[in-house]
Amino acid sequence: MNNEENGEKTGQCRCVHGFTRRGFLTSVGVGAMAALATSGRLSAAQEGAVAERAAEKAVVITLTVNDRSHRLLVEPRWSLLYVLREQLGLTGAKVGCERGECGACTVLIDDLPRYACLTLAVEAEGRRITTLEGLMAGEELGPVQQAFVEEDAMQCGYCTPGQIMSVEGLLRARPQPDQAEIRQAVSGNLCRCGAYPHIVKAGLRAAELKAKR
Amino acid sequence: MTVHFSYVRPASLQDAVSQLGSDNALIHAGGTDLLGCLRDEVFPAEKLVSISGLPELRGISKTTDNGLRIGALTTIAEVAAHPLIRESYAALAQGAAAVASPQLRNQGTLGGNLCQKPRCWYYRGEFHCLRKGGNYCYAVNGENQYHCILGGKNCFIVHPSDTAPALLAFGAVLRITGPRGSRSVTLADFHVLPERDVTRETVLEAGEIVTEILLPPASAAMRSSYRKVRARQAWDFALAGVALALELEGGRVRRSRVVLSGAAPIPWRAVEVEKIITGSALESEVIHEAAVAAMTKARPLGKNGYKIPLFQGMLAEELEKMRQVS
């Protein structure tokens, strides 16, 4: 995983301000729709009422992603997945089915695993969003990521970020799960390579690693 | 990417109702079903009215008559995990736990689960079917292995909810608010058979929002369960399902409600089963007779005849389990 994907904790969004390949493509591709400003903690998202937001007009929202506030210009129809990847450059959450069936886009919202493809970005205002990048401790892998490496819990790797986020969500609610609970927790994440036995082992290992930290 | 729509998140129920007054304005609760439908352009939307800013629609609490009030925005995961529901309304907790996947249970709401659109692949696909204003049900002579065997006359959808059968078995009542005020509708009267109106699934009128689900008190003699049979163990809709809510006394069934999922366009009360088991002890002959009777009115299509023995076997197994706890 490189810095561009990690979202460095500098208060800057590399996809807009940095000259990375993805950032360049993003700003060219999205043009004026790119993120407005990202630094610092801005005012909390409005609770409750919002004025009607017109269909084809982008609106400003504030999203809290991996403990940082981002002011963003979004269309009401944009999914959280689209905004995370295309505006914030956080490409850990993957585009799979885009219909809530495969789990490749799983992120945590207020610590609960959810599909970012079926969540509107405007609906995520005021919520605490955690992506795969948010599990990193600086340059170090987080315990769940480390466990997946140790247990070789992937083949092609495409579903892996989603599997990791589902296990992370489970461990935040239940730090010492049994195998059945892990299987249940990743039941909304498809792995077409069939790495499930290793994924379950990684879940058990992740609980051990997390307990040590 | 879906079609363009405007978005509003009102801070009061009254405002939400008035926002729904414009053309093609739709309610966004959890959004899991809605966004899938919009992505597939099953129906149009010009405005989404999000009700997520209405905390009064969330939560589970006891009512003054010792029943239960579940806010319509309560998530499926919260319903599945709630101690009061697990203890006194087990079938509902089991049904909720069997819904979709963990991610969708964290997002989808109980009200939304009752208001789901059908999962018929002709309805969801590029077919101008009867339910979408066309003049033909493509399932009749098509790929109908997952369609209904009861209650279909012109359209053969099955109702996709796993919570509705349990709620119906418990005699749930829905509170609904709309432009003309609030009203109560029993869940038994909430869903609409295609023969009555093929273009709608519920009795909700324009601008109406389901606000809460009320359950009557559960008697100490009540035993309940929900069983879901699906093609795979995770993240799938029911091929066949049954909610049982039985009051047992001295080894006999005093009262019973038996509701099927995966069988009909609406959650389907198996009154034939209820008639046979009520007043009887759950002995093998009674169970066998009841399981057979459940399917006497079934009219399978070309490819879903397997559901008849599936329902019979599943009912026999579930009634047998009840006999063992009685």
Side-chain angles (χ1 to χ4, degrees):
Chain A
M1 193 171 300
N2 58 31
N3 285 342
E4 160 200 348
E5 287 187 324
N6 254 323
E8 289 177 319
K9 303 203 173 176
T10 57
Q12 291 265 305
C13 177
R14 289 291 297 266
C15 68
V16 177
H17 302 283
F19 293 99
T20 59
R21 188 182 65 92
R22 180 176 294 277
F24 176 76
L25 292 173
T26 303
S27 49
V28 169
V30 184
M33 297 298 180
L36 278 182
T38 54
S39 55
R41 287 183 175 276
L42 296 154
S43 60
Q46 275 181 293
E47 289 293 328
V50 290
E52 184 172 343
R53 286 151 167 189
E56 295 184 44
K57 250 187 172 165
V59 291
V60 179
I61 62 167
T62 304
L63 291 185
T64 305
V65 184
N66 303 333
D67 295 327
R68 285 169 47 209
S69 247
H70 300 268
R71 286 193 76 215
L72 299 160
L73 199 52
V74 306
E75 286 185 19
R77 65 175 179 153
W78 285 358
S79 69
L80 177 60
L81 177 63
Y82 180 81
V83 170
L84 288 173
R85 290 178 57 86
E86 304 301 329
Q87 288 205 284
L88 293 177
L90 297 172
T91 54
K94 294 287 177 274
V95 180
C97 66
E98 288 192 275
R99 56 204 315 127
E101 289 173 6
C102 77
C105 66
T106 302
V107 298
L108 304 186
I109 299 183
D110 295 337
D111 290 333
L112 298 175
R114 291 197 12 188
Y115 295 139
C117 73
L118 281 189
T119 303
L120 293 176
V122 287
E123 275 285 303
E125 270 189 292
R127 317 290 294 271
R128 208 154 32 78
I129 301 156
T130 310
T131 70
L132 185 79
E133 293 85 347
L135 303 189
M136 298 292 290
E139 294 291 302
E140 300 279 307
L141 294 177
V144 183
Q145 294 164 307
Q146 183 62 39
F148 271 68
V149 172
E150 287 181 17
E151 296 295 341
D152 192 20
M154 69 209 69
Q155 288 176 43
C156 84
Y158 199 78
C159 74
T160 310
Q163 306 278 4
I164 288 173
M165 295 314 291
S166 286
V167 171
E168 176 72 25
L170 170 69
L171 296 181
R172 287 186 184 191
R174 288 190 57 81
Q176 297 298 325
D178 60 24
Q179 283 207 19
E181 288 171 311
I182 296 168
R183 292 178 66 89
Q184 171 76 12
V186 298
S187 63
N189 296 78
L190 299 184
C191 170
R192 294 302 78 179
C193 304
Y196 295 109
H198 288 212
I199 291 168
V200 173
K201 275 188 197 165
L204 293 169
R205 177 71 181 141
E208 290 173 12
L209 290 176
K210 235 179 191 290
K212 282 185 199 159
R213 294 206 185 187
Chain B
M1 196 68 69
T2 66
V3 292
H4 283 283
F5 46 74
S6 67
Y7 172 87
V8 61
R9 193 165 64 232
S12 78
L13 188 56
Q14 277 321 310
D15 190 19
V17 168
S18 63
Q19 290 285 353
L20 285 168
S22 59
D23 282 351
N24 289 327
L26 299 172
I27 301 168
H28 180 298
T32 57
D33 190 31
L34 175 67
L35 297 178
C37 286
L38 296 184
R39 193 178 179 284
D40 290 341
E41 298 184 30
V42 177
F43 44 77
E46 284 169 34
K47 174 161 82 173
L48 297 196
V49 180
S50 169
I51 54 175
S52 66
L54 306 176
E56 66 270 30
L57 299 194
R58 294 179 199 282
I60 299 168
S61 55
K62 278 210 161 171
T63 56
T64 48
D65 71 345
N66 226 17
L68 209 61
R69 176 233 178 238
I70 309 174
L73 270 186
T74 308
T75 66
I76 302 294
E78 288 164 347
V79 171
H82 199 275
L84 279 176
I85 295 179
R86 290 169 70 114
E87 189 187 310
S88 302
Y89 304 93
L92 177 58
Q94 291 163 11
V99 170
S101 67
Q103 289 93 327
L104 291 172
R105 294 195 288 276
N106 285 335
Q107 181 168 353
T109 66
L110 188 61
N113 196 258
L114 300 177
C115 298
Q116 284 178 84
K117 289 292 179 179
R119 286 277 156 184
C120 169
W121 42 39
Y122 296 107
Y123 174 74
R124 297 259 170 172
E126 293 171 1
F127 293 84
H128 192 56
C129 75
L130 211 53
R131 189 163 288 275
K132 289 193 281 195
N135 47 24
Y136 186 69
C137 169
Y138 293 86
V140 175
N141 294 311
E143 294 297 321
N144 50 35
Q145 48 270 56
Y146 302 129
H147 289 75
C148 74
I149 53 171
L150 285 160
K153 275 201 173 136
N154 41 351
C155 161
F156 294 84
I157 59 168
V158 289
H159 198 271
S161 173
D162 291 309
T163 61
L167 288 169
L168 181 52
F170 292 127
V173 172
L174 307 185
R175 291 289 297 161
I176 294 167
T177 296
R180 283 186 294 278
S182 294
R183 62 178 177 137
S184 295
V185 174
T186 64
L187 188 58
D189 292 328
F190 183 66
H191 293 108
V192 175
L193 272 174
E195 62 191 84
R196 200 168 120 208
D197 184 345
V198 75
T199 62
R200 60 160 70 197
E201 292 80 37
T202 72
V203 298
L204 284 179
E205 298 292 342
E208 284 193 320
I209 301 172
V210 176
T211 57
E212 54 193 25
I213 294 100
L214 301 171
L215 287 170
S219 95
M222 168 86 80
R223 297 286 177 276
S224 73
S225 65
Y226 180 70
R227 169 90 176 269
K228 177 180 184 178
V229 177
R230 42 191 158 177
R232 56 198 192 108
Q233 286 300 306
W235 194 176
D236 207 350
F237 293 93
L239 294 175
V242 61
L244 296 178
L246 310 185
E247 281 181 32
L248 300 161
E249 192 178 54
R252 285 178 181 275
V253 179
R254 191 169 61 192
R255 289 181 59 202
S256 68
R257 276 283 185 97
V258 179
V259 185
L260 307 181
S261 59
I266 60 173
W268 190 260
R269 243 182 104 178
V271 287
E272 297 84 0
V273 176
E274 295 173 9
K275 271 185 201 149
I276 290 168
I277 63 173
T278 304
S280 300
L282 288 173
E283 285 161 7
S284 318
E285 309 84 75
V286 173
I287 290 175
H288 176 74
E289 192 191 342
V292 171
M295 291 290 112
T296 46
K297 289 188 181 149
R299 297 288 176 270
L301 301 163
K303 297 183 180 180
N304 64 0
Y306 71 92
K307 284 195 176 188
I308 290 178
L310 181 58
F311 269 106
Q312 289 170 336
M314 181 188 65
L315 270 162
E317 284 186 8
E318 290 305 290
L319 290 169
E320 176 63 26
K321 283 186 207 159
M322 279 290 176
R323 184 184 69 80
Q324 288 169 9
V325 300
S326 68

